Amino acid sequence: MVTVKEPREQVFNGTFDGNDTAGWFSAGTALAAADGRLRVQVPGGTHQPWDVLVGENDIRLSANTPYAISFTASAGRPVTIKAQVQLSDPPYTATWSQDVQLTTNQQQYHYSFTSSLDTERGQVSFQIGGSGEPWTFTLDDVSLVGGEPWEWYVPKTDPPVRVNQVGYLPDGPKHATVVTDAPDPQSWQVVSGTGEVVASGRSNPRGLDTSSGQKVHTIDFTAVTTAGAGYTLRVDGQQSFPFVIADSVYEGLRRDAAHFFYVQRSGIAIDDALASGYARPAGHVGVPPNQGDTSVPCQPGVGDYRLDVRGGWYDAGDHGKYVVNGGIATAQLLGQYERATIAKTGNPAAVGDGTLGIPEHGNKVPDILDEARWELEFMLRMQIPDGKPNAGMAHHKVHDRGWTGLPCLPDQDPQVRELHPPSTAATLNLAATAAQAARLLRPFDGPFADRCLAAARTAWKAANDHPAVYASADDTNGGGAYDDTDVRDEFYWAAAELFITTGEQPYLDFLRSSPYWTGDAFRNTGPDWKFVAPLGRIDLATVPSRLADNDRDAARSSVREAADHYSQTIREQAYGVPIGDNEYTWGSTSVVLNKLMVIAAAFDLTGDRRYRDGVLEGLDFILGRNALNNSFVTGYGSRCSQNQHSRIYGHQLDPRLPRPPAGSVAGGPNPGLEDPKAKKVLFHTPSGERPKPQFCYLDDIESWSTNEVAINWNAALYWIASFAADQRQPDKPDGPHRIGDVTVSLGENHQVNVLVPVGWSLHVESTAPGR
């Protein structure tokens, strides 16, 4: 943080120029601006003034210091509101409060006071609730002058030498980016932990990187292959953060990225013995003050029944649980297990029983399947039972009726829980993941696999009976909307998983009729919760099934084509990332990771090391080789994200609570800056210009649009971390072998795993004595 003197105005964007509401928040209504003024439609039927309010947080207040506050306001009809300067957190102590009588004409109001508070978490607010009838509130020219000068935010990004702060595989690619104005190549040295220069060379000038606004050079030190810790890269007197070179460099990340899901579990007490520092009571098991999730009613007008929807994972920073986001997260956990059993570099032992700290370890089921099952059982509970309207469909989501504050542990959530309407997208997510789980869990729990397949078939039929039931984009009170009005990709994905699992012709016939059968199933985005066609295409290309050879070849060709496109972007970007300037968005780290998954699939299909190396280089961006010189994964790197938006991991606001667990990935740079905190801090620059895409990130718990945790993002991190860990130099027998549609691999304790399509019979005959 760099202090720059300027007028002591504490309110950011109090004039709403250009109808911009940056920095402001609302409760009980939606923010809107028109004609350069804040214009809010105040709903009727509220009881208390604070039921509806608008304001700005992060106001710095100094005790015993005079302030002058002023604003211009009017109302659609005469009304009295309350203006306050107060704490933004409990106990919400006010240092100034004033009843203000508004008229239909714009009037200026001026007041002064001496602050009794000393805080950086002050709030200017206007309480406008308590009216039986709706009205319009107009506000402009809000100013609070006094106290200390505002501090312009300048992120700490030194040193200018950017590396993967975790490290590199001995036989993997090793690239770095250097921020420098030097027009000519610069000398560099790789220095070992003992101080020995082990490699040197000259950098490659790359000019202006438009995603960061920085002039940069790149360095390739792939030739350094000796394992060791404490390596650094020196360029022009500057030294990088330390890194390691080791075969095991990604093993911890694989484990921690998966363990994140245990700590996110709903409906079970988190055991300190399994997650030290994260113990908490079970959330949402019907124990007061919770009002869920053992008997949750439908929203008014949705249904007259209740469902037991306990379990699953808390989706992100809130306490909501969403079938669509749970779908892709579950699929990627299941998919990485399936990859371990069929890919040449897969390692089933690394994802087997006992590899994660979860309650189910030791049950002879691979731990990652146990973890995926925890969410899947919740998704099954979200399916509408027989005899009810829309039976067989899945409710889109379950969450609180209203937003809770930060922080709030799950067992302390007092809000009413509600089942939201079913959607075609949620129903197809259930169909796809349940079908995928049926084939993977069958060797370990046949009855549950049968239940999954039956639920998948039921959901498939229900989705076809109701092919255009969409979640509302306006359903955002207490939870995210996760709206989607194009479900052709969900139909394609579900049909693919059902066909792979059953081999039945109707599912193949549907696939052939889908626009994604021959169309672009990857786009420029790769997979995400709203576009899941890539999941179906990758599985059709990589998983043994009854798909005809020519159709499988076409699927494989499309994977390679998408991977080539993403790999080209990596080569073009000075930070080695598979996204361009316009692809930094909400959850940009997951966009990177999901594109890397496509490239990894191409490697599995071809064995071409260029794809493998592209995945590893792309992972460098996540782990520190970026404009911010920040690893977006908690606990990994010398400088890493550690204040992600979460009601559970609220250490930044309450030191008694933990930070996010190691292995939690932050959403990442997002020029949209949808949250007030990010807008206020990142838009408030000396030049007045918006920051470049890579700098649109704030490691702050209140920046939910750049710094949230989410299960789908961590699932992508787990998938890639597991792939990367599997690329260590071979120290085990050859990986799985494919013989036609049958895959044979060596598992734990020399167990032989045989994967065959559903409906096949298997005869095993030993030719080795005693085996």
Side-chain angles (χ1 to χ4, degrees):
M1 191 79 76
V2 177
T3 302
V4 183
K5 299 293 184 182
E6 68 168 8
R8 294 177 295 172
E9 174 62 69
Q10 303 297 335
V11 173
F12 171 71
N13 185 35
T15 57
F16 309 105
D17 292 340
N19 299 328
D20 188 1
T21 61
W24 287 75
F25 74 91
S26 64
T29 187
L31 281 179
D35 302 323
R37 298 169 178 170
L38 190 72
R39 189 163 294 166
V40 176
Q41 301 303 315
V42 183
T46 60
H47 302 289
Q48 301 294 338
W50 54 82
D51 288 342
V52 184
L53 58 86
V54 296
E56 182 171 309
N57 288 324
D58 300 306
I59 300 295
R60 173 179 292 183
L61 298 170
S62 299
N64 304 313
T65 301
Y67 289 84
I69 185 169
S70 60
F71 52 90
T72 301
S74 66
R77 57 181 174 81
V79 67
T80 298
I81 68 168
K82 184 181 292 292
Q84 291 202 152
V85 178
Q86 63 180 71
L87 290 176
S88 60
D89 304 314
Y92 305 111
T93 304
T95 188
W96 173 80
S97 180
Q98 180 69 47
D99 289 337
V100 182
Q101 294 181 344
L102 302 183
T103 69
T104 57
N105 297 319
Q106 285 283 105
Q107 294 188 39
Q108 287 188 332
Y109 300 86
H110 299 269
Y111 305 94
S112 61
F113 65 94
T114 298
S115 175
S116 61
L117 300 173
D118 193 78
T119 181
E120 293 188 356
R121 296 189 57 77
Q123 178 188 93
V124 171
S125 63
F126 298 87
Q127 299 181 3
I128 52 180
S131 175
E133 301 296 327
W135 59 283
T136 302
F137 174 57
T138 302
L139 181 68
D140 200 4
D141 301 323
V142 184
S143 173
L144 179 67
V145 176
E148 295 297 320
W150 179 262
E151 289 184 347
W152 285 331
Y153 174 74
V154 179
K156 186 176 180 62
T157 63
D158 61 301
V161 185
R162 312 293 162 77
V163 297
N164 180 328
Q165 296 173 24
V166 176
Y168 303 87
L169 291 171
D171 69 337
K174 301 172 187 68
H175 297 275
T177 303
V178 184
V179 181
T180 175
D181 290 330
D184 300 320
Q186 301 292 294
S187 297
W188 58 263
Q189 301 86 34
V190 174
V191 182
S192 72
T194 61
E196 178 186 1
V197 175
V198 298
S200 61
R202 303 279 285 176
S203 65
N204 177 27
R206 297 289 292 267
L208 180 68
D209 174 63
T210 55
S211 70
S212 65
Q214 299 167 328
K215 293 180 180 178
V216 298
H217 292 203
T218 53
I219 291 172
D220 184 346
F221 57 104
T222 302
V224 180
T225 60
T226 302
Y231 278 104
T232 55
L233 177 63
R234 293 178 184 172
V235 184
D236 193 25
Q238 299 289 331
Q239 181 170 286
S240 73
F241 284 129
F243 56 88
V244 304
I245 298 177
D247 278 328
S248 61
V249 66
Y250 296 121
E251 290 294 349
L253 182 57
R254 180 205 322 246
R255 180 181 61 253
D256 287 342
H259 194 245
F260 168 85
F261 292 92
Y262 169 62
V263 189
Q264 285 285 115
R265 284 190 189 186
S266 175
I268 186 175
I270 302 304
D271 188 345
D272 192 69
L274 299 176
S276 180
Y278 293 90
R280 58 176 171 82
H284 299 99
V285 288
V287 177
N290 284 170
Q291 299 193 52
D293 284 346
T294 56
S295 179
V296 180
C298 295
Q299 278 188 315
V302 174
D304 60 357
Y305 54 88
R306 292 172 172 263
L307 292 181
D308 178 352
V309 291
R310 75 182 76 191
W313 303 313
Y314 294 116
D315 177 70
D318 60 329
H319 298 140
K321 300 186 293 189
Y322 308 81
V323 172
V324 292
N325 215 35
I328 186 173
T330 303
Q332 288 187 304
L333 266 58
L334 293 171
Q336 182 51 243
Y337 171 78
E338 193 158 36
R339 180 196 174 274
T341 66
I342 62 177
K344 185 174 182 179
T345 61
N347 183 3
V351 295
D353 187 23
T355 56
L356 298 177
I358 60 174
E360 297 85 359
H361 64 220
N363 66 353
K364 302 187 184 304
V365 177
D367 283 352
I368 200 64
L369 293 185
D370 281 324
E371 193 57 69
R373 178 171 176 166
W374 187 263
E375 175 72 3
L376 185 62
E377 289 191 338
F378 154 73
M379 294 173 65
L380 293 171
R381 294 185 184 108
M382 292 287 280
Q383 192 167 32
I384 298 175
D386 290 341
K388 303 297 182 182
N390 302 312
M393 294 192 76
H395 285 279
H396 195 71
K397 57 181 182 172
V398 58
H399 59 64
D400 295 340
R401 183 175 292 172
W403 290 104
T404 55
L406 286 171
C408 180
L409 290 175
D411 66 293
Q412 295 301 307
D413 174 14
Q415 289 276 347
V416 172
R417 306 279 276 182
E418 293 178 325
L419 289 168
H420 291 245
S423 70
T424 305
T427 304
L428 290 167
N429 269 262
L430 174 59
T433 53
Q436 184 182 19
R439 65 176 180 264
L440 295 176
L441 283 163
R442 185 164 299 284
F444 309 102
D445 190 337
F448 183 70
D450 290 340
R451 179 186 168 199
C452 287
L453 187 54
R457 293 183 188 275
T458 298
W460 175 256
K461 182 181 184 303
N464 279 273
D465 291 341
H466 306 280
V469 179
Y470 306 129
S472 170
D474 298 325
D475 188 5
T476 58
N477 193 17
Y482 285 101
D483 55 304
D484 187 357
T485 57
D486 181 356
V487 294
R488 294 174 297 174
D489 53 305
E490 280 86 359
F491 271 110
Y492 174 81
W493 176 36
E497 299 299 345
L498 280 159
F499 171 72
I500 293 170
T501 298
T502 69
E504 294 174 5
Q505 189 65 33
Y507 301 120
L508 180 59
D509 292 341
F510 187 95
L511 283 170
R512 292 183 183 279
S513 69
S514 168
Y516 293 110
W517 179 250
T518 56
D520 181 7
F522 293 99
R523 299 179 181 171
N524 196 42
T525 61
D528 64 29
W529 68 264
K530 203 170 187 176
F531 183 60
V532 291
L535 301 179
R537 180 65 61 83
I538 288 173
D539 280 359
L540 288 171
T542 60
V543 178
S545 71
R546 292 183 176 179
L547 194 65
D549 288 346
N550 61 317
D551 291 331
R552 183 179 290 110
D553 289 344
R556 291 174 174 174
S557 178
S558 72
V559 173
R560 294 194 300 271
E561 182 179 348
D564 288 340
H565 175 61
Y566 301 157
S567 298
Q568 179 62 30
T569 303
I570 291 176
R571 291 189 291 271
E572 293 170 352
Q573 295 294 316
Y575 279 103
V577 64
I579 59 176
D581 293 7
N582 62 347
E583 295 178 80
Y584 288 88
T585 186
W586 200 327
S588 61
T589 55
S590 73
V591 179
V592 172
L593 293 163
N594 283 321
K595 285 191 172 187
L596 296 181
M597 187 180 81
V598 178
I599 302 174
F603 170 72
D604 286 341
L605 291 170
T606 65
D608 189 332
R609 283 178 60 100
R610 292 176 299 176
Y611 293 128
R612 166 194 183 261
D613 289 354
V615 175
L616 297 173
E617 184 175 0
L619 183 56
D620 293 346
F621 175 88
I622 302 295
L623 297 175
R625 184 192 169 199
N626 52 58
L628 288 165
N629 204 13
N630 178 72
S631 167
F632 294 109
V633 181
T634 304
Y636 284 83
S638 298
R639 178 183 296 134
C640 64
S641 302
Q642 55 183 344
N643 295 307
Q644 288 97 310
H645 177 80
S646 167
R647 282 159 177 77
I648 301 175
Y649 318 122
H651 183 83
Q652 185 180 356
L653 299 179
D654 184 346
R656 295 172 299 177
L657 297 176
R659 298 188 188 278
S664 306
V665 65
N670 172 21
L673 298 178
E674 288 85 354
D675 67 86
K677 180 75 174 192
K679 283 181 178 179
K680 181 174 181 177
V681 173
L682 298 179
F683 281 4
H684 197 83
T685 61
S687 67
E689 297 179 355
R690 293 173 66 105
K692 296 296 183 182
Q694 282 207 51
F695 283 97
C696 291
Y697 172 77
L698 191 66
D699 184 22
D700 190 284
I701 193 171
E702 294 185 8
S703 182
W704 38 264
S705 70
T706 76
N707 198 43
E708 194 165 10
V709 293
I711 56 174
N712 60 319
W713 302 341
N714 244 79
L717 174 65
Y718 165 71
W719 203 104
I720 291 302
S722 191
F723 173 89
D726 284 346
Q727 305 315 305
R728 63 187 300 163
Q729 294 175 346
D731 57 359
K732 61 184 179 66
D734 287 343
H737 296 274
R738 181 174 295 151
I739 308 170
D741 285 324
V742 178
T743 301
V744 181
S745 63
L746 184 63
E748 300 174 77
N749 300 319
H750 301 286
Q751 170 187 329
V752 176
N753 301 315
V754 182
L755 182 66
V756 300
V758 170
W760 285 34
S761 59
L762 180 67
H763 172 71
V764 179
E765 183 175 306
S766 173
T767 58
R771 297 291 180 94

